[in-house]
Amino acid sequence: DGGITQSPKYLFRKEGQNVTLSCEQNLNHDAMYWYRQDPGQGLRLIYYSQIVNDFQKGDIAEGYSVSREKKESFPLTVTSAQKNPTAFYLCASSTGQVAGNTIYFGEGSWLTVV
Amino acid sequence: AQSVTQLGSHVSVSEGALVLLRCNYSSSVPPYLFWYVQYPNQGLQLLLKYTTGATLVKGINGFEAEFKKSETSFHLTKPSAHMSDAAEYFCAVTAMNSGYITLTFGKGTMLLVSP
């Protein structure tokens, strides 16, 4: 089935460590996104990418990095510079730069700092 | 800049009662508006969206929303709540970021349904 796969579902990180969250889609979508979700805060945009080898910072990019080497993959690295990384992370994709296009979401990954 | 305000972080209804979740938006361009639902520990699923045309939009699971430009609103309704409707609901508006299209979300409304 077509969709967006995020892994791992649950991840624990020690302070000072970098971790990478995987996101793969087989929808042939050009655009991909990373959102962070905290209780009561809604979803906030971390990074987005419209094409391979191109990505843009969102509203809360500090302490995060991404790459887009393949159309179907958009991994997110949470670096040690991110001071409060414990959150639910959602990867999403859409067909591209047309306003009104639906953005589809993966099942999310929980990151906890221990 | 675009923004979304959802009134009420929690809404409680009885099974069979009307569901009304409020969403107001701010947009400097004609808005494209979305409602998503999120069940615990899962991603977001699209309920419905407004792009152009008819202002009353019907979605999945019996939900509908009406775009009212004069009120800058896009409230979500369902005539009769089911227990399975208990979830968190997010309203979103298309946003332009440095020439790229993204979505800006409200903070969400948790719908609680009691028997």
Side-chain angles (χ1 to χ4, degrees):
Chain A
D1 289 343
I4 302 169
T5 301
Q6 291 187 237
S7 62
K9 180 70 175 180
Y10 299 96
L11 185 61
F12 296 89
R13 187 194 93 171
K14 293 182 179 179
E15 288 193 21
Q17 286 183 337
N18 293 353
V19 294
T20 297
L21 306 180
S22 171
C23 178
E24 303 278 333
Q25 54 97 0
N26 61 4
L27 300 169
N28 199 33
H29 285 170
D30 289 312
M32 297 188 74
Y33 312 81
W34 276 104
Y35 284 88
R36 169 178 171 147
Q37 185 178 14
D38 298 278
Q41 296 288 325
L43 279 73
R44 292 180 290 170
L45 184 64
I46 305 173
Y47 268 98
Y48 54 100
S49 168
Q50 301 300 328
I51 56 173
V52 173
N53 293 323
D54 180 65
F55 46 83
Q56 305 293 325
K57 292 182 179 180
D59 301 319
I60 57 165
E62 185 176 352
Y64 299 97
S65 66
V66 294
S67 63
R68 186 88 186 274
E69 298 177 0
K70 299 184 298 182
K71 184 176 182 178
E72 59 270 22
S73 178
F74 191 42
L76 173 74
T77 297
V78 185
T79 75
S80 57
Q82 171 49 238
K83 297 305 179 186
N84 185 20
T86 296
F88 191 49
Y89 290 88
L90 287 158
C91 180
S93 70
S94 72
T95 53
Q97 283 294 289
V98 177
N101 276 358
T102 298
I103 293 181
Y104 297 90
F105 285 83
E107 291 295 296
S109 293
W110 280 103
L111 173 63
T112 303
V113 173
V114 296
Chain B
Q2 289 75 33
S3 67
V4 172
T5 302
Q6 292 184 238
L7 292 175
S9 59
H10 292 78
V11 170
S12 296
V13 299
S14 299
E15 193 172 20
L18 172 71
V19 175
L20 172 60
L21 304 182
R22 300 178 186 274
C23 172
N24 288 90
Y25 69 89
S26 171
S27 178
S28 57
V29 298
Y32 296 92
L33 296 157
F34 302 76
W35 274 102
Y36 284 86
V37 61
Q38 184 181 37
Y39 297 99
N41 234 15
Q42 295 185 22
L44 276 67
Q45 179 184 5
L46 180 70
L47 276 176
L48 50 80
K49 66 178 181 181
Y50 168 78
T51 53
T52 58
T55 56
L56 182 62
V57 181
K58 295 187 183 298
I60 63 172
N61 301 339
F63 284 94
E64 62 182 36
E66 186 171 11
F67 170 62
K68 292 187 176 181
K69 184 178 179 180
S70 62
E71 298 178 8
T72 60
S73 69
F74 190 56
H75 302 331
L76 182 70
T77 61
K78 182 174 180 178
S80 177
H82 294 166
M83 296 295 290
S84 60
D85 294 326
E88 190 159 22
Y89 293 79
F90 292 93
C91 182
V93 63
T94 300
M96 294 295 295
N97 277 295
S98 302
Y100 294 92
I101 296 171
T102 62
L103 278 184
T104 293
F105 286 84
K107 293 187 176 182
T109 297
M110 185 68 72
L111 177 65
L112 307 171
V113 183
S114 57

